[in-house]
Amino acid sequence: MESISPTHRSALIASFKHEALHLEMRDNYGGDRPWFDRWLAGDRDGVKEDMKPWCDQVRAGVATGKIYRRLCVVSEPLSEYQRWSHELNDLKVEAGEDLRWVPRRLVSTVPLPGNDFWLFDSETVTFGLFDGEDMRTDILLSRDPEVVQFCLDAFARLWKLSIPHHEYPLK
């Protein structure tokens, strides 16, 4: 695996051809703290406006036939961060992401990678590495067919356990 920059990963997200799969397995993400703090302070509209570039990118991709699927594995009851995320994910779903939730209690027997990942066109995977303070420390890229297949299999197994975004009850 090779370490890549956030800019490189963003380019992969922008340039995939058919399908992007995203698996999130953390209950908190420190890099989102400025937006989360604004939301806690009541700035719902400003934070939603910050989501516009991502939502515009998804809308444009979906219009050309691209598929965006995201799974969020979460502890229950949800962390305050995940409650915020659920609200913002309404915008992602409206833009065209197929976003689903998986309660962590259902995944004990599912073989999972140790880190969140993006998987592009069933051929390239990037892993986000985080420290104990929930801050991303590195992004690793692999095109190893065995690694890609492992991630595809994990995603498929989780997808079967998942709950569509608008059906997931906030707990």
Side-chain angles (χ1 to χ4, degrees), residues 24-44:
E24 299 177 348
M25 298 185 291
R26 302 181 64 79
D27 289 320
N28 296 285
Y29 291 86
D32 291 342
R33 193 68 209 195
W35 297 285
F36 179 51
D37 288 342
R38 285 175 44 209
W39 180 80
L40 287 173
D43 182 10
R44 302 288 202 274

Side-chain angles (χ1 to χ4, degrees), residues 35-146:
W35 297 285
F36 179 51
D37 288 342
R38 285 175 44 209
W39 180 80
L40 287 173
D43 182 10
R44 302 288 202 274
D45 293 335
V47 173
K48 288 179 179 180
E49 184 63 27
D50 292 342
M51 290 295 301
K52 190 173 180 336
W54 173 253
C55 292
D56 289 347
Q57 180 178 343
V58 170
R59 272 189 204 87
V62 168
T64 66
K66 290 183 176 184
I67 298 168
Y68 298 78
R69 292 195 295 155
R70 182 186 306 251
L71 285 170
C72 303
V73 176
V74 291
S75 300
E76 293 176 327
L78 293 178
S79 68
E80 193 66 16
Y81 175 94
Q82 288 296 356
R83 297 177 87 61
W84 167 68
S85 179
H86 191 280
E87 182 177 318
L88 287 183
N89 284 339
D90 286 344
L91 301 172
K92 295 173 186 174
V93 170
E94 289 167 14
E97 278 196 51
D98 190 347
L99 191 147
R100 300 182 183 201
W101 299 82
V102 184
R104 193 173 310 281
R105 64 184 159 73
L106 299 179
V107 303
S108 294
T109 60
V110 178
L112 297 173
N115 296 293
D116 293 5
F117 66 78
W118 279 93
L119 181 57
F120 306 104
D121 297 325
S122 299
E123 60 188 29
T124 303
V125 64
T126 64
F127 296 98
L129 279 60
F130 293 83
D131 67 16
E133 300 298 319
D134 301 317
M135 298 300 291
R136 188 178 59 219
T137 59
D138 202 0
I139 301 169
L140 300 177
L141 179 140
S142 177
R143 289 188 176 91
D144 180 321
E146 289 182 21

